[in-house]
Amino acid sequence: MSIQNAPSETSVFVAEGMTKTFPGVTALEDVRLSLSKGSIHALLGENGAGKSTLIKAITGVHRLDSGRMMLNGQLFEPTDTRDAISRGIGVVHQERNLIPRFSIGENIFLESLNAHPLRRIDYNKLFRDARVWLEMLGVDADPAMPVHRLSVAKTQLVEIAKALSLNSRILLLDEPTAALTPHETDTLFKILRQLRDDGVSLMFVSHKLEEVQEICDRVTVLRDGKNACESQPLEGLDRQAIVRLMIGRNEQIPDWSARDRSTGKALLQLKNVSTSLGHKEIDLSVHKGEIVGLYGLVGAGRSELAKSILGKFQVTGGEVLVNGSRAEIHSVADAVRRYRIGYVSEDRKSEGLVLMHSVLENVGMPIWRRLAGLAHFLTNGKIRKHTEPYIRKLEVRTPSLEQHVGNLSGGNQQKVSVAKWLAAEVQILIIDEPSVGIDIKTKAYLHELIRELSDNGTALLLITSDMPEMITLADHIVVMNDYRIMGEIDNTRDYDTMSERIMTLIQGEELVAAE
Amino acid sequence: MSGTGKEQSVGIPPAEQASGARLTTLRILLSNEFGLLVLIVLFAIIFSTISPAFLSKFSLYALGRTSAVNIMIGFSMMVVIITGGLNLSVGSIGVCAAMFGGLLMQAFAMPWPLAVCGGLAMGAALGALNGFIIVRSGLHSFIITLATMSIFFGVMIFLTRAESYRDISPAFTSFGRMKLAGIISPLLLVSVVAGILLSVLFRYTALGREMLATGANERAAELSGIRVHRIITYCHLLSGVLAGVAGLMLVSRTGAAIPSMAGQLGQDWLLPAFLGPVLGGTLLTGGRVSVLGTFLGSFLVTMLTTGLLLMQVGAFWMQTYLGLLLLAAVLIDMVRRSYLTRRKLI
Ligand SMILES: Nc1ncnc2c1ncn2[C@@H]1O[C@H](COP(=O)(O)OP(=O)(O)OP(=O)(O)O)[C@@H](O)[C@H]1O
Ligand SMILES: [Mg+2]
C-alpha cells in the first residue's frame, strides 16, 4: 500500500492503515491521514463515520487494532491520554469531560495540578491564569465558579481553554463549535488562525460546512470508516463537492415557503411571565401547527425559559396557558403527563439520555406509562412499534436497538435524544438545539420530521443558535436577550434580510444599554 | 442511492448476525450469572469431597431454607441499590416487621395470613418513611438509613421491652418447616416467586423501567416526565416489604419472633444484603439490575457459609471469610470487566 499524497516535509503527523472495530461495528478501516505544520485540517463525515474514533486513537483513548502512526518522523503509539499530552497533542473531545464540582480554574489546569501532588496549590495564581484564557475566548465567568453551574456553551469554551492552555503543537478539535453561536465561533476562529500562524497543526471536526470553508485549508473525509479523500487541499472544492464526498450525492435544500399559522388555536401562551431565574415580562404564544423560533445569544435565557414552562423552575408571575386555560404545572411530570408538553434538551449527555441504557429504552421513556396503560404491562415489541419509524427516519446508526446509547457516535446519540420526543406525540414540543452534532443529511430529514409534526397540529417552540436552521424552520421568530423578549418578526424565509433584522433586534438593546 | 447509510441503521445485516450470535454466547459465558453458577458447582464439589455430609438430605434442605432468607435480604437491598442508594436499615425493618407480625399473632390472636399482611405493611411503612425522608431532605440514603436503622430498632426494643413472641400460629411455623419432595423448603419457593415477580417488574412494567432510569440518570428521567421522587420512595417501600418478607420467613422457620434475630440493630443482615447484589452484578452506582444474579449470589454466599460451618470454621472466621469474599468479588468483577472491554465484548 502506498501513500498517494506523499507526506511533505512539513508533515508533523502521519497515519496509515488505521483500523479499529467495536462489537458489530467497524469504526475505522485502513484510514490514512497526514497533518502538516501551520495548517488547519478539516475532518469530515456523516454521523458514525469514525471521526471521533480517529481522534481518540490519536490521543490514546482507544488503541488501534492495526495501523501505524508517526509523530515527527518517529513511531507513535500512545499508551494513554497522558502520554499523548506529553508528546504535545492537545484535544477537545466531542463529549464534555470536565469535573462538574471543580471550579473553572481547576478544570482548566487539571493536568498541571496533578504534576505535584503534595505542593500547595496557589489558587490566586491559578484563577489569574485561568482568567487570561477565559477573556481570550470571551467567556464572562468567575474562574472560581464550579463548572456544573455553566451553560452548555460556556462549558464548551472552558473545555477549549483547557486544551489551549497546554500549548500543544498539535491540537485536535472534535466539534468544538457545535454548541456555540456564530459570535463565540468567530472569537474562537481568531485564536485558531493565530495558532496556525504560529505553526501549530490543527484538526477541526464540524458538521457546519460554512465554518470548514472559512477556516480550513485541507480536508480528510471519512465514509463508513474509510477514507473518501485524504489530506486534500480544500482549495477548489466547493460545498457540493464536499457534500458528495461525505454522503455520495448532492445536498437537498428544502424550499419551504413562508406560512402563517398564527390563526390556529393558541396551544401555549405565556402572559407577562416572570420566573425565579430572572425572566421578566415574557409574552409568547405558540399556535396549533405553528413553529415559533426563539433566537438569542448564549446566555439569553432561552433554555431556562423552556425549563420554567416545564415546571423545573418556578414561574413567579404572570400566567402560563395551555390550550386556552391556565395551567397548574408543579413538576416536569405534570407538564409531560397532564399537559403533554415535551422538551428536547440541549444537553443530551446529562439531561436528554440515559447513556448506560439501550437505544430502545431511551426512546421509549416518555411513553412507557401511556403504552403500559392500566394493565401496567409493557413489552419491547410495543415500544419498538411506536418508536422505530422515527429511529429509522433519522437513520440512527447502531448495530441493534439493544446497543447502549453511550456507545453510539455523538451525532447518533443526538438523534436518539430527538427521536424520543418526536415519538412521544405531545401537543406542545419545545426543541432546544436539536441538530447539535447532526450531519447535514440527517439534518434535512430532521427538518422534514419537525415540519411534518407541525403539519399534524403540534405546536413547536424551537430554540436554536443555528441561524439558517431557524430561518428554514420557524414561522415566527421571537428574539430574546438577557431574559427578556426584544421583539418578534414573521419569518419571510429570506436569509439575508431575516438574519439582519434578528441581529438588529438583539443589538438594538445593547446600543441603548451602552448609552 | 441513499442506501449506504440505511443498511447500517437499525436492523442487523445478516453478515453481522452470525458473529453477533458468537458474541452473545461469549458474553453469556463471561456473564456474572454464569460465573456464579460455575462457582456454585465448584464449591459444591469441593465441600462434598471434604465432607460427604454436605450432600445429605438434611444439609441440602437446610441450605435451601437458609438461602431463601438470604436471597430475600439480597433482594431487599438490591431494589434500593438500583437507585444508586443503599438501605442500611434492612435488618432493622426486617425485625420490626417480624415482631409486629408476632405481636399480631400472639397478643391479638389474628389468623396468620392477616398477621403476615400486618407485618408486611409495617415493613412497607418503614421503608416508605425512609424514602420520604430521603427525597424530602435531599440527603444521601446512607445517612438517613443509618439513622433510621437505630431509630426503628430502638423504638421496637422499647415497645416490646425486648421480649420475644413465641406464641406463633402452628400453621405458620409448619410452613417454614415443611419439606417438599423431601429436600425443598417452601421458603425457597417464596424466594423464587419473589425473584420472578421482580424480574417481571423490571422487564415488563413501566414502574420497573422508571426505577432503573431514575437510578441511571435522575435528571434525564425527570425531564422525561418520570416522577423521580415518587419512584425513589417506591423503591424504599419495596425494600421494606422485602425485608419484612425475610423477617417473617425467619419467624416461620424458628417459630418465634425474637428481637435479636438479626443481631444488634439488625446488623447481621448487612453483609448478606450487599453480597448478593454485588456478586450478582447489580451496579452500585445504580441503573442496572440482575435479579438472577442476586439470587445466585446470595445462594453462593449461603452455601459457602454452610460449607465452612460443616468444616467447623469458627463463627468469627466466618465473618472474615465473608468480608474477604465481598472484596474478592469486587476485584474479580473489575478484572472481568476490563477483560470484556479489552476483548471488546461490552
Ligand atoms: N465505545 C464504543 N463501543 C461500540 N461502538 C462504538 C464505540 N465508539 C464508537 N462506536 C461506533 O463506531 C462508529 C464510529 O463512531 P464515531 O464516534 O467515531 O463517529 P463520528 O464520526 O465521530 O460521528 P459523529 O458525527 O456522530 O460524532 C459508530 O458506528 C459508533 O456507533
Ligand atoms: Mg463524533
Side-chain angles (χ1 to χ4, degrees), chain A residues 132-154:
Chain A
V132 175
W133 291 108
L134 293 180
E135 272 167 15
M136 197 158 135
L137 285 163
V139 184
D140 174 27
D142 179 4
M145 184 150 87
V147 158
H148 69 91
R149 303 240 313 264
L150 295 177
S151 69
V152 180
K154 283 190 178 161

PDB file of all heavy atoms in Angstrom, chain A residues 132-154:
ATOM      1  N   VAL A 132      -7.085  34.761  32.117  1.00  0.00           N
ATOM      2  CA  VAL A 132      -6.477  35.143  30.846  1.00  0.00           C
ATOM      3  C   VAL A 132      -7.102  34.345  29.708  1.00  0.00           C
ATOM      4  O   VAL A 132      -7.508  34.893  28.677  1.00  0.00           O
ATOM      5  CB  VAL A 132      -4.956  34.888  30.875  1.00  0.00           C
ATOM      6  CG1 VAL A 132      -4.354  35.166  29.508  1.00  0.00           C
ATOM      7  CG2 VAL A 132      -4.310  35.750  31.951  1.00  0.00           C
ATOM      8  N   TRP A 133      -7.197  33.022  29.923  1.00  0.00           N
ATOM      9  CA  TRP A 133      -7.761  32.176  28.863  1.00  0.00           C
ATOM     10  C   TRP A 133      -9.237  32.483  28.644  1.00  0.00           C
ATOM     11  O   TRP A 133      -9.704  32.524  27.520  1.00  0.00           O
ATOM     12  CB  TRP A 133      -7.585  30.697  29.223  1.00  0.00           C
ATOM     13  CG  TRP A 133      -6.165  30.276  29.170  1.00  0.00           C
ATOM     14  CD1 TRP A 133      -5.353  29.995  30.229  1.00  0.00           C
ATOM     15  CD2 TRP A 133      -5.365  30.126  28.003  1.00  0.00           C
ATOM     16  NE1 TRP A 133      -4.094  29.675  29.788  1.00  0.00           N
ATOM     17  CE2 TRP A 133      -4.076  29.742  28.426  1.00  0.00           C
ATOM     18  CE3 TRP A 133      -5.604  30.285  26.631  1.00  0.00           C
ATOM     19  CZ2 TRP A 133      -3.034  29.501  27.536  1.00  0.00           C
ATOM     20  CZ3 TRP A 133      -4.565  30.036  25.752  1.00  0.00           C
ATOM     21  CH2 TRP A 133      -3.296  29.655  26.202  1.00  0.00           C
ATOM     22  N   LEU A 134      -9.955  32.696  29.735  1.00  0.00           N
ATOM     23  CA  LEU A 134     -11.385  32.965  29.605  1.00  0.00           C
ATOM     24  C   LEU A 134     -11.614  34.251  28.827  1.00  0.00           C
ATOM     25  O   LEU A 134     -12.462  34.325  27.938  1.00  0.00           O
ATOM     26  CB  LEU A 134     -12.033  33.072  30.984  1.00  0.00           C
ATOM     27  CG  LEU A 134     -12.070  31.776  31.796  1.00  0.00           C
ATOM     28  CD1 LEU A 134     -12.737  32.008  33.141  1.00  0.00           C
ATOM     29  CD2 LEU A 134     -12.805  30.692  31.033  1.00  0.00           C
ATOM     30  N   GLU A 135     -10.823  35.271  29.137  1.00  0.00           N
ATOM     31  CA  GLU A 135     -11.004  36.544  28.451  1.00  0.00           C
ATOM     32  C   GLU A 135     -10.694  36.410  26.972  1.00  0.00           C
ATOM     33  O   GLU A 135     -11.383  36.951  26.108  1.00  0.00           O
ATOM     34  CB  GLU A 135     -10.122  37.618  29.086  1.00  0.00           C
ATOM     35  CG  GLU A 135     -10.840  38.299  30.243  1.00  0.00           C
ATOM     36  CD  GLU A 135      -9.910  39.141  31.091  1.00  0.00           C
ATOM     37  OE1 GLU A 135      -8.783  39.437  30.635  1.00  0.00           O
ATOM     38  OE2 GLU A 135     -10.316  39.487  32.216  1.00  0.00           O
ATOM     39  N   MET A 136      -9.656  35.639  26.706  1.00  0.00           N
ATOM     40  CA  MET A 136      -9.269  35.433  25.318  1.00  0.00           C
ATOM     41  C   MET A 136     -10.430  34.823  24.520  1.00  0.00           C
ATOM     42  O   MET A 136     -10.664  35.170  23.373  1.00  0.00           O
ATOM     43  CB  MET A 136      -8.089  34.483  25.302  1.00  0.00           C
ATOM     44  CG  MET A 136      -7.321  34.470  24.045  1.00  0.00           C
ATOM     45  SD  MET A 136      -5.702  33.838  24.508  1.00  0.00           S
ATOM     46  CE  MET A 136      -5.460  32.711  23.230  1.00  0.00           C
ATOM     47  N   LEU A 137     -11.159  33.901  25.153  1.00  0.00           N
ATOM     48  CA  LEU A 137     -12.268  33.248  24.463  1.00  0.00           C
ATOM     49  C   LEU A 137     -13.580  34.005  24.632  1.00  0.00           C
ATOM     50  O   LEU A 137     -14.621  33.574  24.151  1.00  0.00           O
ATOM     51  CB  LEU A 137     -12.440  31.829  24.999  1.00  0.00           C
ATOM     52  CG  LEU A 137     -11.390  30.823  24.522  1.00  0.00           C
ATOM     53  CD1 LEU A 137     -11.392  29.600  25.397  1.00  0.00           C
ATOM     54  CD2 LEU A 137     -11.644  30.437  23.077  1.00  0.00           C
ATOM     55  N   GLY A 138     -13.495  35.122  25.351  1.00  0.00           N
ATOM     56  CA  GLY A 138     -14.699  35.926  25.524  1.00  0.00           C
ATOM     57  C   GLY A 138     -15.713  35.312  26.465  1.00  0.00           C
ATOM     58  O   GLY A 138     -16.915  35.509  26.314  1.00  0.00           O
ATOM     59  N   VAL A 139     -15.230  34.541  27.459  1.00  0.00           N
ATOM     60  CA  VAL A 139     -16.163  33.964  28.432  1.00  0.00           C
ATOM     61  C   VAL A 139     -16.250  34.878  29.640  1.00  0.00           C
ATOM     62  O   VAL A 139     -15.245  35.177  30.274  1.00  0.00           O
ATOM     63  CB  VAL A 139     -15.703  32.573  28.914  1.00  0.00           C
ATOM     64  CG1 VAL A 139     -16.741  31.963  29.829  1.00  0.00           C
ATOM     65  CG2 VAL A 139     -15.422  31.690  27.742  1.00  0.00           C
ATOM     66  N   ASP A 140     -17.452  35.278  29.941  1.00  0.00           N
ATOM     67  CA  ASP A 140     -17.653  36.152  31.075  1.00  0.00           C
ATOM     68  C   ASP A 140     -18.077  35.308  32.272  1.00  0.00           C
ATOM     69  O   ASP A 140     -19.249  35.044  32.471  1.00  0.00           O
ATOM     70  CB  ASP A 140     -18.748  37.169  30.695  1.00  0.00           C
ATOM     71  CG  ASP A 140     -19.126  38.025  31.885  1.00  0.00           C
ATOM     72  OD1 ASP A 140     -18.276  38.207  32.770  1.00  0.00           O
ATOM     73  OD2 ASP A 140     -20.283  38.495  31.913  1.00  0.00           O
ATOM     74  N   ALA A 141     -17.069  34.824  33.028  1.00  0.00           N
ATOM     75  CA  ALA A 141     -17.400  33.981  34.180  1.00  0.00           C
ATOM     76  C   ALA A 141     -16.258  34.012  35.176  1.00  0.00           C
ATOM     77  O   ALA A 141     -15.099  34.183  34.801  1.00  0.00           O
ATOM     78  CB  ALA A 141     -17.659  32.544  33.737  1.00  0.00           C
ATOM     79  N   ASP A 142     -16.600  33.849  36.449  1.00  0.00           N
ATOM     80  CA  ASP A 142     -15.602  33.843  37.508  1.00  0.00           C
ATOM     81  C   ASP A 142     -14.888  32.484  37.522  1.00  0.00           C
ATOM     82  O   ASP A 142     -15.542  31.449  37.617  1.00  0.00           O
ATOM     83  CB  ASP A 142     -16.335  34.071  38.836  1.00  0.00           C
ATOM     84  CG  ASP A 142     -15.364  34.051  40.011  1.00  0.00           C
ATOM     85  OD1 ASP A 142     -14.148  33.941  39.766  1.00  0.00           O
ATOM     86  OD2 ASP A 142     -15.838  34.147  41.152  1.00  0.00           O
ATOM     87  N   PRO A 143     -13.543  32.492  37.433  1.00  0.00           N
ATOM     88  CA  PRO A 143     -12.813  31.222  37.378  1.00  0.00           C
ATOM     89  C   PRO A 143     -13.038  30.342  38.609  1.00  0.00           C
ATOM     90  O   PRO A 143     -12.751  29.158  38.575  1.00  0.00           O
ATOM     91  CB  PRO A 143     -11.347  31.646  37.307  1.00  0.00           C
ATOM     92  CG  PRO A 143     -11.349  33.057  36.901  1.00  0.00           C
ATOM     93  CD  PRO A 143     -12.658  33.648  37.318  1.00  0.00           C
ATOM     94  N   ALA A 144     -13.550  30.939  39.693  1.00  0.00           N
ATOM     95  CA  ALA A 144     -13.747  30.143  40.912  1.00  0.00           C
ATOM     96  C   ALA A 144     -15.098  29.436  40.915  1.00  0.00           C
ATOM     97  O   ALA A 144     -15.400  28.649  41.804  1.00  0.00           O
ATOM     98  CB  ALA A 144     -13.625  31.038  42.137  1.00  0.00           C
ATOM     99  N   MET A 145     -15.901  29.719  39.898  1.00  0.00           N
ATOM    100  CA  MET A 145     -17.235  29.131  39.849  1.00  0.00           C
ATOM    101  C   MET A 145     -17.169  27.655  39.450  1.00  0.00           C
ATOM    102  O   MET A 145     -16.412  27.293  38.563  1.00  0.00           O
ATOM    103  CB  MET A 145     -18.068  29.898  38.828  1.00  0.00           C
ATOM    104  CG  MET A 145     -19.489  29.442  38.768  1.00  0.00           C
ATOM    105  SD  MET A 145     -20.559  30.764  38.304  1.00  0.00           S
ATOM    106  CE  MET A 145     -20.547  30.735  36.607  1.00  0.00           C
ATOM    107  N   PRO A 146     -17.942  26.815  40.136  1.00  0.00           N
ATOM    108  CA  PRO A 146     -17.928  25.402  39.723  1.00  0.00           C
ATOM    109  C   PRO A 146     -18.533  25.220  38.339  1.00  0.00           C
ATOM    110  O   PRO A 146     -19.481  25.913  37.973  1.00  0.00           O
ATOM    111  CB  PRO A 146     -18.786  24.699  40.782  1.00  0.00           C
ATOM    112  CG  PRO A 146     -19.570  25.757  41.448  1.00  0.00           C
ATOM    113  CD  PRO A 146     -18.794  27.039  41.315  1.00  0.00           C
ATOM    114  N   VAL A 147     -17.967  24.299  37.601  1.00  0.00           N
ATOM    115  CA  VAL A 147     -18.314  24.130  36.200  1.00  0.00           C
ATOM    116  C   VAL A 147     -19.773  23.717  35.980  1.00  0.00           C
ATOM    117  O   VAL A 147     -20.381  24.082  34.985  1.00  0.00           O
ATOM    118  CB  VAL A 147     -17.337  23.105  35.574  1.00  0.00           C
ATOM    119  CG1 VAL A 147     -17.919  22.476  34.347  1.00  0.00           C
ATOM    120  CG2 VAL A 147     -16.024  23.778  35.262  1.00  0.00           C
ATOM    121  N   HIS A 148     -20.346  22.987  36.943  1.00  0.00           N
ATOM    122  CA  HIS A 148     -21.711  22.500  36.701  1.00  0.00           C
ATOM    123  C   HIS A 148     -22.737  23.620  36.672  1.00  0.00           C
ATOM    124  O   HIS A 148     -23.879  23.412  36.264  1.00  0.00           O
ATOM    125  CB  HIS A 148     -22.103  21.433  37.735  1.00  0.00           C
ATOM    126  CG  HIS A 148     -22.281  21.946  39.125  1.00  0.00           C
ATOM    127  ND1 HIS A 148     -23.495  22.377  39.592  1.00  0.00           N
ATOM    128  CD2 HIS A 148     -21.412  22.098  40.139  1.00  0.00           C
ATOM    129  CE1 HIS A 148     -23.357  22.778  40.842  1.00  0.00           C
ATOM    130  NE2 HIS A 148     -22.104  22.616  41.201  1.00  0.00           N
ATOM    131  N   ARG A 149     -22.333  24.827  37.071  1.00  0.00           N
ATOM    132  CA  ARG A 149     -23.285  25.935  37.015  1.00  0.00           C
ATOM    133  C   ARG A 149     -23.279  26.630  35.658  1.00  0.00           C
ATOM    134  O   ARG A 149     -24.063  27.546  35.420  1.00  0.00           O
ATOM    135  CB  ARG A 149     -22.935  26.953  38.108  1.00  0.00           C
ATOM    136  CG  ARG A 149     -22.904  26.355  39.509  1.00  0.00           C
ATOM    137  CD  ARG A 149     -23.915  27.024  40.436  1.00  0.00           C
ATOM    138  NE  ARG A 149     -23.863  28.476  40.347  1.00  0.00           N
ATOM    139  CZ  ARG A 149     -23.171  29.242  41.170  1.00  0.00           C
ATOM    140  NH1 ARG A 149     -22.476  28.709  42.148  1.00  0.00           N
ATOM    141  NH2 ARG A 149     -23.189  30.549  41.048  1.00  0.00           N
ATOM    142  N   LEU A 150     -22.376  26.223  34.771  1.00  0.00           N
ATOM    143  CA  LEU A 150     -22.257  26.903  33.483  1.00  0.00           C
ATOM    144  C   LEU A 150     -23.225  26.343  32.451  1.00  0.00           C
ATOM    145  O   LEU A 150     -23.628  25.192  32.524  1.00  0.00           O
ATOM    146  CB  LEU A 150     -20.833  26.738  32.946  1.00  0.00           C
ATOM    147  CG  LEU A 150     -19.715  27.386  33.754  1.00  0.00           C
ATOM    148  CD1 LEU A 150     -18.374  27.074  33.126  1.00  0.00           C
ATOM    149  CD2 LEU A 150     -19.926  28.884  33.851  1.00  0.00           C
ATOM    150  N   SER A 151     -23.545  27.174  31.474  1.00  0.00           N
ATOM    151  CA  SER A 151     -24.379  26.706  30.361  1.00  0.00           C
ATOM    152  C   SER A 151     -23.544  25.791  29.468  1.00  0.00           C
ATOM    153  O   SER A 151     -22.325  25.735  29.586  1.00  0.00           O
ATOM    154  CB  SER A 151     -24.867  27.890  29.550  1.00  0.00           C
ATOM    155  OG  SER A 151     -23.781  28.464  28.866  1.00  0.00           O
ATOM    156  N   VAL A 152     -24.246  25.101  28.580  1.00  0.00           N
ATOM    157  CA  VAL A 152     -23.553  24.158  27.692  1.00  0.00           C
ATOM    158  C   VAL A 152     -22.457  24.860  26.883  1.00  0.00           C
ATOM    159  O   VAL A 152     -21.336  24.376  26.771  1.00  0.00           O
ATOM    160  CB  VAL A 152     -24.561  23.500  26.731  1.00  0.00           C
ATOM    161  CG1 VAL A 152     -23.859  22.543  25.813  1.00  0.00           C
ATOM    162  CG2 VAL A 152     -25.626  22.763  27.517  1.00  0.00           C
ATOM    163  N   ALA A 153     -22.788  26.035  26.354  1.00  0.00           N
ATOM    164  CA  ALA A 153     -21.823  26.736  25.504  1.00  0.00           C
ATOM    165  C   ALA A 153     -20.594  27.154  26.301  1.00  0.00           C
ATOM    166  O   ALA A 153     -19.460  27.008  25.850  1.00  0.00           O
ATOM    167  CB  ALA A 153     -22.472  27.956  24.880  1.00  0.00           C
ATOM    168  N   LYS A 154     -20.820  27.659  27.502  1.00  0.00           N
ATOM    169  CA  LYS A 154     -19.664  28.096  28.301  1.00  0.00           C
ATOM    170  C   LYS A 154     -18.819  26.904  28.733  1.00  0.00           C
ATOM    171  O   LYS A 154     -17.593  26.993  28.782  1.00  0.00           O
ATOM    172  CB  LYS A 154     -20.149  28.886  29.517  1.00  0.00           C
ATOM    173  CG  LYS A 154     -20.558  30.295  29.136  1.00  0.00           C
ATOM    174  CD  LYS A 154     -20.820  31.168  30.342  1.00  0.00           C
ATOM    175  CE  LYS A 154     -21.184  32.566  29.878  1.00  0.00           C
ATOM    176  NZ  LYS A 154     -21.868  33.328  30.929  1.00  0.00           N
TER     177      LYS A 154
END
